[in-house]
Amino acid sequence: MKIDNLIIDFGGVLYDIAPNETLALFSNYGSKQLNYSDLADMQIFKDYETGSISSLEFIGSIRKIFAIDNIISNEIITAAWNKTLVGIFDNSIETLKTLKKRYNLALLSNTNELHYLHFMPHCQELFSIFDRCFFSHQIDMRKPNTDIYKHVISNMGYKSCNTTFIDDSEANIIGAQEAGLHTFHITPDTCLSDYLHTV
């Protein structure tokens, strides 16, 4: 089956992220340490990525999780949270423009309000290459739940049989496969431009 459509992840595929930078700051401000997988598995993290709780509620939860004293302001916690966001990978825009010549493109990202407000101003050129961008906190669902892939497929008028999903998370790849999509897994040894050599 000919592939006509690509659904592409944002963080870790097009945009460099460093969540350990954030976790180190939270640990310094408080008295507890967690790794990223521990935090990502918490319901509060999932609720924030689906827009179920406000940024203020999320910050309050971070205070409790890491035992951060009130002497540390919400602005400092927000800045630490955004330390995860490094910047657009050097080849992302060029690669997307090349892919755009051959495919319909949609972006699908698990993200949250604070991160969105931080990266959006300097990602306008990148996002403009896509036919449409889907952000989890705006559509009340997140990867790897199959509903979010079906939502994108339906809204874009795609067919799963001629659509490939590209992500750096194995769990998200499995979710897409369960939704009937072809997949391409970005690993530490690969990048988005490597997809061009597979077709």
Side-chain angles (χ1 to χ4, degrees), residues 118-184:
H118 184 84
F119 64 63
M120 179 54 74
H122 64 269
C123 289
Q124 291 299 309
E125 181 182 3
L126 185 148
F127 293 144
S128 70
I129 301 169
F130 288 92
D131 301 310
R132 186 169 173 183
C133 298
F134 296 85
F135 300 101
S136 64
H137 72 293
Q138 295 177 343
I139 57 176
D140 305 328
M141 56 186 80
R142 69 190 291 275
K143 300 173 286 186
N145 294 339
T146 57
D147 286 352
I148 196 168
Y149 307 103
K150 295 175 181 177
H151 175 85
V152 174
I153 290 290
S154 175
N155 278 268
M156 296 304 297
Y158 294 168
K159 293 181 179 180
S160 57
C161 61
N162 60 2
T163 301
T164 292
F165 172 71
I166 301 173
D167 200 291
D168 63 321
S169 162
E170 184 177 1
N172 293 344
I173 289 291
I174 292 171
Q177 290 170 349
E178 291 174 349
L181 299 173
H182 301 276
T183 57
F184 182 76

Side-chain angles (χ1 to χ4, degrees), residues 19-197:
N20 287 335
E21 295 288 330
T22 286
L23 293 177
L25 287 171
F26 285 164
S27 296
N28 288 338
Y29 296 150
S31 60
K32 294 183 179 179
Q33 293 187 350
L34 290 174
N35 60 44
Y36 181 71
S37 61
D38 289 334
L39 181 61
D41 284 340
M42 290 184 177
Q43 189 60 44
I44 194 72
F45 183 84
K46 298 173 182 178
D47 288 344
Y48 192 39
E49 285 198 335
T50 56
S52 300
I53 61 171
S54 69
S55 293
L56 194 59
E57 289 173 310
F58 179 72
I59 290 171
S61 295
I62 289 296
R63 286 187 182 279
K64 293 177 182 177
I65 291 168
F66 290 90
I68 298 174
D69 193 274
N70 286 334
I71 195 171
I72 304 296
S73 69
N74 286 353
E75 289 75 18
I76 291 175
I77 293 176
T78 296
W81 179 241
N82 287 336
K83 269 290 187 181
T84 292
L85 304 172
V86 178
I88 300 170
F89 286 126
D90 289 341
N91 64 341
S92 290
I93 291 175
E94 180 182 351
T95 301
L96 284 176
K97 288 180 177 179
T98 300
L99 291 171
K100 182 66 175 175
K101 296 174 182 178
R102 300 175 60 178
Y103 304 100
N104 302 308
L105 300 182
L107 179 139
L108 176 59
S109 173
N110 280 354
T111 191
N112 56 80
E113 182 182 50
L114 287 175
H115 281 174
Y116 177 85
L117 293 173
H118 184 84
F119 64 63
M120 179 54 74
H122 64 269
C123 289
Q124 291 299 309
E125 181 182 3
L126 185 148
F127 293 144
S128 70
I129 301 169
F130 288 92
D131 301 310
R132 186 169 173 183
C133 298
F134 296 85
F135 300 101
S136 64
H137 72 293
Q138 295 177 343
I139 57 176
D140 305 328
M141 56 186 80
R142 69 190 291 275
K143 300 173 286 186
N145 294 339
T146 57
D147 286 352
I148 196 168
Y149 307 103
K150 295 175 181 177
H151 175 85
V152 174
I153 290 290
S154 175
N155 278 268
M156 296 304 297
Y158 294 168
K159 293 181 179 180
S160 57
C161 61
N162 60 2
T163 301
T164 292
F165 172 71
I166 301 173
D167 200 291
D168 63 321
S169 162
E170 184 177 1
N172 293 344
I173 289 291
I174 292 171
Q177 290 170 349
E178 291 174 349
L181 299 173
H182 301 276
T183 57
F184 182 76
H185 188 195
I186 301 292
T187 68
D189 298 322
T190 61
C191 62
L192 181 60
S193 61
D194 291 323
Y195 180 77
L196 293 167
H197 306 301

